[in-house]
Amino acid sequence: MNSRTSRTQMLYTLGLLFFLISAFAAFFTGVKVGADKTEDKYDHLNSIKETEEYSGSYQQQDLVTFYHNVFLPYREFKRDWNSKVEKLARSNDPRENNAILKDLGILADQQYKKVNQDSIFSNSPLLQQSQLNILKSLTLFSQASDKVVAGSGGLETAKVLKSNSFTSSAIKYGLLAQKNFYDSMLKWGAKSNSKISGELGELKTLNFIEWKKMPLLSKNATIANMMLNHNIYAGYDPQDITAKMDDLIYSGTASSLKLKDVQTSVTLLISTGAVQQNDFIKWREQYYGKETLPQLPFFSE
């Protein structure tokens, strides 16, 4: 009798484990498929071939219009998203956790509506691509918050949110959009100043001598590229890292720390939380008074 009962319990346990494993597998497969479908949804909108040379007007007005209509709403979203996820990680209240997840979805949808307008950047392909990538990013962020079930532990919920496929893809497209925008500024700079190259070329390890010779727009575009490659999705902007990097060099701190190249230094700055929002504004007058810059608010606010 006891042997038969034990066998029944064992079979029940194995059956339950099989069900749970199957359910989790189905969930994560669904997340991956859903993320892929969202990415595919916008592919037909991208009329710019990867092999096409990026030529375009990249006028001052193009950059200003893009900043206000596209980049600023997304910049606000990025900062709010990071702030709310940090709040989620500190919470142990299931109701609050659920409310934060709901707010994140609403936030993404609201900013999507601000950005989702007919493209007016057909003469500046990189800006057109950036807008498309921001729309993809916001769509995926909205879906990410819907796919996560809030638990009592906010820290664990935040980890699940950050690691799911929707969020990973959303961050990738957001950072790519940022790179597109900063590359656009570089092209504008090349048209405005013959000493500025419109192309970065192959990203390589930069020593401090090479870095100091670079114009500010080239430095910012290089940092935006690094942020994409290293998945740095933070509230600060590329120019904030640039300014912190320059101060590290010119103050002598880089030498005292025996740092040799920009990439290693940027990694140190990011990992130690040394970069803050508006660091560029802090050192703008000291280091960048003669630099060529488009008249965009986040370079002067």
Side-chain angles (χ1 to χ4, degrees):
M1 182 70 177
N2 290 338
S3 176
R4 187 177 303 169
T5 301
S6 297
R7 190 181 300 112
T8 301
Q9 289 176 338
M10 181 182 69
L11 290 173
Y12 174 78
T13 301
L14 290 173
L16 180 61
L17 286 174
F18 177 77
F19 172 78
L20 291 174
I21 291 171
S22 299
F24 277 112
F27 171 76
F28 286 111
T29 299
V31 169
K32 180 65 170 65
V33 170
D36 290 343
K37 285 183 177 178
T38 300
E39 293 179 26
D40 292 341
K41 172 184 175 183
Y42 291 93
D43 283 347
H44 73 284
L45 297 176
N46 191 355
S47 59
I48 305 164
K49 297 180 180 178
E50 292 181 3
T51 56
E52 181 182 349
E53 181 180 357
Y54 288 138
S55 59
S57 65
Y58 298 104
Q59 300 297 319
Q60 169 87 18
Q61 188 57 46
D62 293 335
L63 297 175
V64 172
T65 301
F66 181 87
Y67 177 87
H68 287 289
N69 292 354
V70 180
F71 193 75
L72 182 58
Y74 189 74
R75 186 174 180 240
E76 292 170 347
F77 166 82
K78 181 176 66 171
R79 292 182 173 182
D80 286 344
W81 174 275
N82 285 321
S83 176
K84 288 181 181 296
V85 172
E86 288 176 5
K87 181 180 179 181
L88 175 63
R90 296 191 300 267
S91 171
N92 288 314
D93 183 345
R95 289 185 179 180
E96 183 179 20
N97 298 345
N98 188 63
I100 292 173
L101 288 174
K102 185 177 180 181
D103 286 346
L104 288 172
I106 292 172
L107 177 65
D109 292 339
Q110 287 175 339
Q111 299 308 88
Y112 181 95
K113 290 177 182 177
K114 292 182 180 180
V115 174
N116 188 21
Q117 53 187 297
D118 292 337
S119 177
I120 52 177
F121 309 106
S122 57
N123 292 328
S124 301
L126 283 169
L127 294 179
Q128 195 174 45
Q129 275 202 334
S130 185
Q131 182 181 21
L132 175 61
N133 286 325
I134 283 175
L135 290 172
K136 288 181 179 181
S137 179
L138 289 169
T139 299
L140 288 162
F141 270 124
S142 176
Q143 294 180 353
S145 60
D146 288 339
K147 298 297 180 182
V148 177
V149 178
S152 58
L155 181 59
E156 187 60 32
T157 303
K159 287 180 180 178
V160 172
L161 176 62
K162 289 180 180 179
S163 64
N164 77 41
S165 296
F166 285 100
T167 303
S168 298
S169 295
I171 288 174
K172 179 189 73 174
Y173 282 116
L175 291 172
L176 182 56
Q178 178 176 260
K179 177 183 179 299
N180 295 149
F181 187 34
Y182 280 80
D183 285 347
S184 298
M185 289 185 230
L186 191 58
K187 288 194 174 295
W188 168 85
K191 292 176 180 292
S192 304
N193 187 335
S194 60
K195 295 181 180 180
I196 298 176
S197 172
E199 302 287 342
L200 276 181
E202 184 179 355
L203 187 63
K204 60 179 182 177
T205 301
L206 289 166
N207 61 46
F208 296 148
I209 294 175
E210 293 172 312
W211 173 261
K212 287 192 285 187
K213 292 179 181 178
M214 293 169 65
L216 177 59
L217 289 175
S218 297
K219 290 179 179 179
N220 289 344
T222 297
I223 294 296
N225 202 345
M226 289 183 192
M227 293 177 76
L228 172 62
N229 291 338
H230 295 283
N231 212 40
I232 301 169
Y233 194 77
Y236 45 76
D237 300 306
Q239 64 267 22
D240 294 319
I241 301 179
T242 294
K244 194 70 177 181
M245 183 71 242
D246 281 333
D247 188 64
L248 191 73
I249 295 171
Y250 291 117
S251 67
T253 305
S255 178
S256 66
L257 293 174
K258 302 188 185 307
L259 296 170
K260 302 295 184 182
D261 63 81
V262 173
Q263 280 82 349
T264 302
S265 303
V266 168
T267 299
L268 177 65
L269 290 172
I270 299 300
S271 63
T272 56
V275 183
Q276 302 295 321
Q277 295 176 23
N278 296 321
D279 272 346
F280 175 78
I281 301 301
K282 180 178 178 180
W283 283 296
R284 179 189 57 195
E285 297 300 326
Q286 185 172 349
Y287 297 131
Y288 309 115
K290 297 181 180 180
E291 290 282 354
T292 299
L293 283 175
Q295 295 177 10
L296 300 176
F298 67 174
F299 288 136
S300 59
E301 61 189 12

